[in-house]
Amino acid sequence: MLELTDKHVKMIEETHDTVNTLKTVLLGVNGDEGLVGDVKQLARGHQKLCNRVWILIGVLASTGVLSVSVLELFK
């Protein structure tokens, strides 16, 4: 059977501390959402930007501005 030495105990403690640090950074603590929250926030912002771009394209296409511009580009 394998004996648990002080060296092994120290390595386990260091690994435990590192895992706790990584968990804190990723998931956050005390109301901070961590990196996961930052990614979710960026995704929401990206979705809003995409929606606005498509609305702008729709408005431009419906007014004919986009159609005329595209036709002029290919002349």
Side-chain angles (χ1 to χ4, degrees), residues 16-63:
H16 178 265
D17 293 343
T18 302
V19 169
N20 278 340
T21 302
L22 289 172
K23 181 180 176 186
T24 301
V25 169
L26 290 174
L27 301 178
V29 294
N30 297 334
D32 179 32
E33 295 184 358
L35 288 177
V36 171
D38 291 346
V39 170
K40 285 180 182 178
Q41 186 177 9
L42 285 173
R44 284 191 295 266
H46 181 264
Q47 185 61 41
K48 287 180 184 178
L49 178 64
C50 287
N51 289 343
R52 290 179 181 158
V53 167
W54 282 113
I55 289 171
L56 178 63
I57 290 172
V59 168
L60 292 175
S62 66
T63 61

Side-chain angles (χ1 to χ4, degrees), residues 2 8-10 14 33 35 45 56-57 63 65 67 69 75:
L2 186 63
H8 292 120
V9 170
K10 184 178 178 184
E14 287 175 0
E33 295 184 358
L35 288 177
L56 178 63
I57 290 172
T63 61
V65 171
S67 302
S69 300
K75 275 188 173 182

